[in-house]
């Protein structure tokens, strides 16, 4: 028994598999294409990230016994020198710093390896008629999100270099974009967006808009968009004010306090600052400031960190099922971002050496729009849950109708007071037992998806008969259930019109539909 119509179950799985494979290819290119940061390394193994893994391992796990295992007979680390080092000092607390870039490189490689291993069951699941799980989508949702977080870190490091140094200095340093890394970042990002919009429809579009807002805020609050995209440098010149300086004889740009909201310097001071060097520690940078200047500097730091966190969480949210606590946390974090942006706008009015940059006003506007959108999502989510709860409450408090023409048995007060008397059973002469008829249970073999897999065999048959094959009468007021597709309207309609469905839907099936609909 089951729906005999063709469903989009298989195409859905194929889309998940295709996007998963594309994302894996992008991640592999990030590991094995020459990054081209130094012209002397172009096209050689020294410029390939994968060949730098032994050196990255030695820095990620700096134990002498382990490092010795990675050395050749001459005492040199195998492979090529690691090129993406980023020592984290936590405001100078960790002496010499811990190489977070090395750790993230190792984790990135492990995630890609896990993605390749998971590709085998994903392919089997996609083309197996017996499989009832979308393994490709599950694997993609996990692998792509985790890999995206790691590769984002290295893109942020590159953006930092283009923000802090002039184009002339970058040219002297022979520093260029690592296109394989950007390809891994872009390929994974695009696949996450496609999966989100394809599987979550309107909700996915909503999440994508929020991610665009957080991406724009990141470019404005943390980095110099004009330095990253040269054609924008002149139009944005009035919005971002910089001061030139020198360090160790080299020219660099630093952000004048309060003149803009580029927060990369305080972030670097907090995580990478040293007592002697550039950047200096956060505490050393604040020593010569007044109390209100320190407050503005810390607000700039907090705003930059919030924008970074919000971008990463919005990117991760593309592959997640929306829950209420997620929407509440969205409202909280964007409220904090709006408050921090407002402080950065207001505090410069009380500091003679600081001015309010127009960029901070733009960031505050973006935070406000994102906050309003998340409040709308939360209100809609709560309304949906309220409709479901009202429908459930109505069902629970409505007495069930007697079966056929049976009338409810009334028990008199006198009968209730009668004491219980045990009556021993009487035994009759044993009669020959008749052979029972052989029972052949009906096994459901119709189409399946994530929700149908939660049902028992009998409930699957009932669901197919009622909602897929529509054998129990005219259900035109209920949208068609799409196996493997988006069924928000279906579940909403079932709960709204449940009073009309009580005669055809069992309590067990309704409870399963309620539980699943409440999780969507």
């Amino acid at each position: 028994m089951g729906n005999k119509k063709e469903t989009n179950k298989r195409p859905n799985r194929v889309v998940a598999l295709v996007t998963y494979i594309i994302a894996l290819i992008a991640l592999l290119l990030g590991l094995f294409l020459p990054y081209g940061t130094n012209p002397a390394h172009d096209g050689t193994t020294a410029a390939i990230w994968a060949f730098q893994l032994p050196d990255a391992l030695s820095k990620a796990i700096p134990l002498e016994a382990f490092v010795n295992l990675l050395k050749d007979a001459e005492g040199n680390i195998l492979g090529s020198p690691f090129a993406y080092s980023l020592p984290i000092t936590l405001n100078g607390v960790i002496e010499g710093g811990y190489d977070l870039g090395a750790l993230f490189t190792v984790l990135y490689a492990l995630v890609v390896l896990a993605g390749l291993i998971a590709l085998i069951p994903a392919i089997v699941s996609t083309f197996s008629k017996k499989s009832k799980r979308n393994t490709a989508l599950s694997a993609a949702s996990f692998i792509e999100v985790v890999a995206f977080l790691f590769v984002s870190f290295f893109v942020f490091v590159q953006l930092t270099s283009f923000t802090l140094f002039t184009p002339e200095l970058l040219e002297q340093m022979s520093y260029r974009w690592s296109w394989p890394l950007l390809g891994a970042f872009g390929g994974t990002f695009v696949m996450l967006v496609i999966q989100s919009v394809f599987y979550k429809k309107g909700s996915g579009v909503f999440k994508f808009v929020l991610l665009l807002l957080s991406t724009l805020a990141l470019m404005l609050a943390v980095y110099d968009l004009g330095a990253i995209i040269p054609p924008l440098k002149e139009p944005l010149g009035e919005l971002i004010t910089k001061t030139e300086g020198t360090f160790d004889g080299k020219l660099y740009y630093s952000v004048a306090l309060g003149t803009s909201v580029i927060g990369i310097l305080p972030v670097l001071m907090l995580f990478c600052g040293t007592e002697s060097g550039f950047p200096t520690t956060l505490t050393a940078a604040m020593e010569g400031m007044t109390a209100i200047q320190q407050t503005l500097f810390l607000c700039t730091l907090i705003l930059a960190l919030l924008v970074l966190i919000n971008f990463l969480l919005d990117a991760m949210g593309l592959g997640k099922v929306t829950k209420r606590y997620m929407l509440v946390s969205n409202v909280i974090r964007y409220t904090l971002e709006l408050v921090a942006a407002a402080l950065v706008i207001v505090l410069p009015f009380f500091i003679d050496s600081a001015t309010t940059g127009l960029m901070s006003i733009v960031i505050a506007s973006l935070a406000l729009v994102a906050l309003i959108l998340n409040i709308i999502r939360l209100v809609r989510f709560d309304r949906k849950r309220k409709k479901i709860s009202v429908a459930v409450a109505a069902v629970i408090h409505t007495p069930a109708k007697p079966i056929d023409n049976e009338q409810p048995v009334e028990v008199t007060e006198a009968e209730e007071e009668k004491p219980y008397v045990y009556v021993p059973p009487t035994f009759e002469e044993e009669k020959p037992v008749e052979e029972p008829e052989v029972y052949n249970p009906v096994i459901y073999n119709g189409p399946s998806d994530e929700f149908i897999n939660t049902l028992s065999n009998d409930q699957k048959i009932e669901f197919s008969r009622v909602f897929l094959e529509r054998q129990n009468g005219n259900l035109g007021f209920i949208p068609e259930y799409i196996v493997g597709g988006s069924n928000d309207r279906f579940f909403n309609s079932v709960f709204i019109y449940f009073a009309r469905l009580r005669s055809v839907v069992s309590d067990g099936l309704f409870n399963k539909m309620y539980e699943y609909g409440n999780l969507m």
Side-chain angles (χ1 to χ4, degrees), residues 23-40:
L24 278 179
I25 292 173
L27 295 174
L28 285 169
L29 290 178
L31 277 176
F32 289 99
L33 279 184
Y35 58 84
T37 298
N38 190 320

PDB file of all heavy atoms in Angstrom, residues 23-40:
ATOM      1  N   ALA A  23      30.673  21.050  -3.030  1.00  0.00           N
ATOM      2  CA  ALA A  23      31.327  21.632  -1.859  1.00  0.00           C
ATOM      3  C   ALA A  23      32.620  20.887  -1.530  1.00  0.00           C
ATOM      4  O   ALA A  23      33.642  21.511  -1.202  1.00  0.00           O
ATOM      5  CB  ALA A  23      30.387  21.602  -0.658  1.00  0.00           C
ATOM      6  N   LEU A  24      32.607  19.550  -1.631  1.00  0.00           N
ATOM      7  CA  LEU A  24      33.820  18.770  -1.370  1.00  0.00           C
ATOM      8  C   LEU A  24      34.922  19.101  -2.368  1.00  0.00           C
ATOM      9  O   LEU A  24      36.104  19.201  -2.006  1.00  0.00           O
ATOM     10  CB  LEU A  24      33.505  17.271  -1.414  1.00  0.00           C
ATOM     11  CG  LEU A  24      32.903  16.640  -0.156  1.00  0.00           C
ATOM     12  CD1 LEU A  24      32.625  15.168  -0.390  1.00  0.00           C
ATOM     13  CD2 LEU A  24      33.834  16.820   1.037  1.00  0.00           C
ATOM     14  N   ILE A  25      34.543  19.269  -3.631  1.00  0.00           N
ATOM     15  CA  ILE A  25      35.536  19.632  -4.653  1.00  0.00           C
ATOM     16  C   ILE A  25      36.169  20.980  -4.314  1.00  0.00           C
ATOM     17  O   ILE A  25      37.395  21.160  -4.407  1.00  0.00           O
ATOM     18  CB  ILE A  25      34.880  19.665  -6.053  1.00  0.00           C
ATOM     19  CG1 ILE A  25      34.490  18.249  -6.486  1.00  0.00           C
ATOM     20  CG2 ILE A  25      35.836  20.298  -7.067  1.00  0.00           C
ATOM     21  CD1 ILE A  25      33.700  18.210  -7.775  1.00  0.00           C
ATOM     22  N   ALA A  26      35.341  21.939  -3.902  1.00  0.00           N
ATOM     23  CA  ALA A  26      35.862  23.265  -3.533  1.00  0.00           C
ATOM     24  C   ALA A  26      36.819  23.156  -2.348  1.00  0.00           C
ATOM     25  O   ALA A  26      37.882  23.796  -2.330  1.00  0.00           O
ATOM     26  CB  ALA A  26      34.705  24.210  -3.199  1.00  0.00           C
ATOM     27  N   LEU A  27      36.467  22.335  -1.359  1.00  0.00           N
ATOM     28  CA  LEU A  27      37.332  22.158  -0.186  1.00  0.00           C
ATOM     29  C   LEU A  27      38.640  21.472  -0.556  1.00  0.00           C
ATOM     30  O   LEU A  27      39.711  21.811  -0.027  1.00  0.00           O
ATOM     31  CB  LEU A  27      36.590  21.354   0.885  1.00  0.00           C
ATOM     32  CG  LEU A  27      35.345  22.029   1.484  1.00  0.00           C
ATOM     33  CD1 LEU A  27      34.614  21.072   2.418  1.00  0.00           C
ATOM     34  CD2 LEU A  27      35.726  23.296   2.231  1.00  0.00           C
ATOM     35  N   LEU A  28      38.578  20.501  -1.458  1.00  0.00           N
ATOM     36  CA  LEU A  28      39.794  19.808  -1.904  1.00  0.00           C
ATOM     37  C   LEU A  28      40.697  20.740  -2.699  1.00  0.00           C
ATOM     38  O   LEU A  28      41.931  20.690  -2.571  1.00  0.00           O
ATOM     39  CB  LEU A  28      39.425  18.590  -2.753  1.00  0.00           C
ATOM     40  CG  LEU A  28      38.884  17.373  -1.984  1.00  0.00           C
ATOM     41  CD1 LEU A  28      38.311  16.347  -2.939  1.00  0.00           C
ATOM     42  CD2 LEU A  28      39.991  16.749  -1.133  1.00  0.00           C
ATOM     43  N   LEU A  29      40.105  21.607  -3.523  1.00  0.00           N
ATOM     44  CA  LEU A  29      40.914  22.573  -4.271  1.00  0.00           C
ATOM     45  C   LEU A  29      41.642  23.513  -3.318  1.00  0.00           C
ATOM     46  O   LEU A  29      42.780  23.918  -3.577  1.00  0.00           O
ATOM     47  CB  LEU A  29      40.021  23.374  -5.217  1.00  0.00           C
ATOM     48  CG  LEU A  29      39.447  22.604  -6.414  1.00  0.00           C
ATOM     49  CD1 LEU A  29      38.535  23.492  -7.241  1.00  0.00           C
ATOM     50  CD2 LEU A  29      40.555  22.029  -7.281  1.00  0.00           C
ATOM     51  N   GLY A  30      40.975  23.875  -2.214  1.00  0.00           N
ATOM     52  CA  GLY A  30      41.638  24.716  -1.225  1.00  0.00           C
ATOM     53  C   GLY A  30      42.879  24.056  -0.657  1.00  0.00           C
ATOM     54  O   GLY A  30      43.861  24.728  -0.330  1.00  0.00           O
ATOM     55  N   LEU A  31      42.871  22.725  -0.565  1.00  0.00           N
ATOM     56  CA  LEU A  31      44.022  21.994  -0.020  1.00  0.00           C
ATOM     57  C   LEU A  31      45.121  21.750  -1.045  1.00  0.00           C
ATOM     58  O   LEU A  31      46.313  21.767  -0.705  1.00  0.00           O
ATOM     59  CB  LEU A  31      43.557  20.649   0.553  1.00  0.00           C
ATOM     60  CG  LEU A  31      42.986  20.628   1.973  1.00  0.00           C
ATOM     61  CD1 LEU A  31      42.506  19.234   2.321  1.00  0.00           C
ATOM     62  CD2 LEU A  31      44.029  21.088   2.986  1.00  0.00           C
ATOM     63  N   PHE A  32      44.743  21.523  -2.296  1.00  0.00           N
ATOM     64  CA  PHE A  32      45.721  21.009  -3.255  1.00  0.00           C
ATOM     65  C   PHE A  32      46.095  21.964  -4.386  1.00  0.00           C
ATOM     66  O   PHE A  32      46.987  21.660  -5.166  1.00  0.00           O
ATOM     67  CB  PHE A  32      45.213  19.684  -3.844  1.00  0.00           C
ATOM     68  CG  PHE A  32      45.249  18.556  -2.859  1.00  0.00           C
ATOM     69  CD1 PHE A  32      44.105  18.178  -2.182  1.00  0.00           C
ATOM     70  CD2 PHE A  32      46.435  17.883  -2.602  1.00  0.00           C
ATOM     71  CE1 PHE A  32      44.133  17.140  -1.256  1.00  0.00           C
ATOM     72  CE2 PHE A  32      46.478  16.847  -1.688  1.00  0.00           C
ATOM     73  CZ  PHE A  32      45.329  16.468  -1.004  1.00  0.00           C
ATOM     74  N   LEU A  33      45.440  23.097  -4.521  1.00  0.00           N
ATOM     75  CA  LEU A  33      45.877  24.070  -5.520  1.00  0.00           C
ATOM     76  C   LEU A  33      46.936  24.989  -4.915  1.00  0.00           C
ATOM     77  O   LEU A  33      46.825  25.379  -3.750  1.00  0.00           O
ATOM     78  CB  LEU A  33      44.695  24.914  -6.008  1.00  0.00           C
ATOM     79  CG  LEU A  33      43.795  24.296  -7.085  1.00  0.00           C
ATOM     80  CD1 LEU A  33      42.748  25.315  -7.502  1.00  0.00           C
ATOM     81  CD2 LEU A  33      44.584  23.823  -8.288  1.00  0.00           C
ATOM     82  N   PRO A  34      47.980  25.368  -5.677  1.00  0.00           N
ATOM     83  CA  PRO A  34      48.974  26.317  -5.157  1.00  0.00           C
ATOM     84  C   PRO A  34      48.316  27.638  -4.795  1.00  0.00           C
ATOM     85  O   PRO A  34      47.536  28.180  -5.568  1.00  0.00           O
ATOM     86  CB  PRO A  34      49.954  26.484  -6.332  1.00  0.00           C
ATOM     87  CG  PRO A  34      49.750  25.260  -7.164  1.00  0.00           C
ATOM     88  CD  PRO A  34      48.309  24.888  -7.023  1.00  0.00           C
ATOM     89  N   TYR A  35      48.626  28.145  -3.597  1.00  0.00           N
ATOM     90  CA  TYR A  35      47.934  29.346  -3.140  1.00  0.00           C
ATOM     91  C   TYR A  35      48.492  30.619  -3.766  1.00  0.00           C
ATOM     92  O   TYR A  35      47.825  31.640  -3.827  1.00  0.00           O
ATOM     93  CB  TYR A  35      47.977  29.446  -1.617  1.00  0.00           C
ATOM     94  CG  TYR A  35      49.357  29.460  -1.000  1.00  0.00           C
ATOM     95  CD1 TYR A  35      50.085  30.631  -0.909  1.00  0.00           C
ATOM     96  CD2 TYR A  35      49.909  28.295  -0.494  1.00  0.00           C
ATOM     97  CE1 TYR A  35      51.334  30.646  -0.333  1.00  0.00           C
ATOM     98  CE2 TYR A  35      51.157  28.294   0.090  1.00  0.00           C
ATOM     99  CZ  TYR A  35      51.879  29.473   0.177  1.00  0.00           C
ATOM    100  OH  TYR A  35      53.112  29.473   0.747  1.00  0.00           O
ATOM    101  N   GLY A  36      49.782  30.624  -4.204  1.00  0.00           N
ATOM    102  CA  GLY A  36      50.318  31.757  -4.949  1.00  0.00           C
ATOM    103  C   GLY A  36      50.533  33.004  -4.133  1.00  0.00           C
ATOM    104  O   GLY A  36      50.477  34.113  -4.660  1.00  0.00           O
ATOM    105  N   THR A  37      50.773  32.899  -2.808  1.00  0.00           N
ATOM    106  CA  THR A  37      51.031  34.082  -1.998  1.00  0.00           C
ATOM    107  C   THR A  37      52.393  34.686  -2.335  1.00  0.00           C
ATOM    108  O   THR A  37      52.573  35.887  -2.336  1.00  0.00           O
ATOM    109  CB  THR A  37      50.993  33.718  -0.497  1.00  0.00           C
ATOM    110  OG1 THR A  37      49.689  33.244  -0.195  1.00  0.00           O
ATOM    111  CG2 THR A  37      51.280  34.928   0.367  1.00  0.00           C
ATOM    112  N   ASN A  38      53.362  33.849  -2.643  1.00  0.00           N
ATOM    113  CA  ASN A  38      54.700  34.312  -2.984  1.00  0.00           C
ATOM    114  C   ASN A  38      55.031  33.870  -4.402  1.00  0.00           C
ATOM    115  O   ASN A  38      54.931  32.696  -4.726  1.00  0.00           O
ATOM    116  CB  ASN A  38      55.714  33.721  -1.993  1.00  0.00           C
ATOM    117  CG  ASN A  38      57.088  34.356  -2.143  1.00  0.00           C
ATOM    118  OD1 ASN A  38      57.540  34.614  -3.248  1.00  0.00           O
ATOM    119  ND2 ASN A  38      57.730  34.613  -1.018  1.00  0.00           N
ATOM    120  N   PRO A  39      55.439  34.797  -5.278  1.00  0.00           N
ATOM    121  CA  PRO A  39      55.735  34.416  -6.670  1.00  0.00           C
ATOM    122  C   PRO A  39      56.762  33.305  -6.791  1.00  0.00           C
ATOM    123  O   PRO A  39      56.721  32.513  -7.730  1.00  0.00           O
ATOM    124  CB  PRO A  39      56.271  35.726  -7.268  1.00  0.00           C
ATOM    125  CG  PRO A  39      55.687  36.803  -6.429  1.00  0.00           C
ATOM    126  CD  PRO A  39      55.597  36.239  -5.044  1.00  0.00           C
ATOM    127  N   ALA A  40      57.689  33.227  -5.824  1.00  0.00           N
ATOM    128  CA  ALA A  40      58.724  32.197  -5.896  1.00  0.00           C
ATOM    129  C   ALA A  40      58.159  30.804  -5.692  1.00  0.00           C
ATOM    130  O   ALA A  40      58.791  29.804  -6.051  1.00  0.00           O
ATOM    131  CB  ALA A  40      59.791  32.469  -4.839  1.00  0.00           C
TER     132      ALA A  40
END
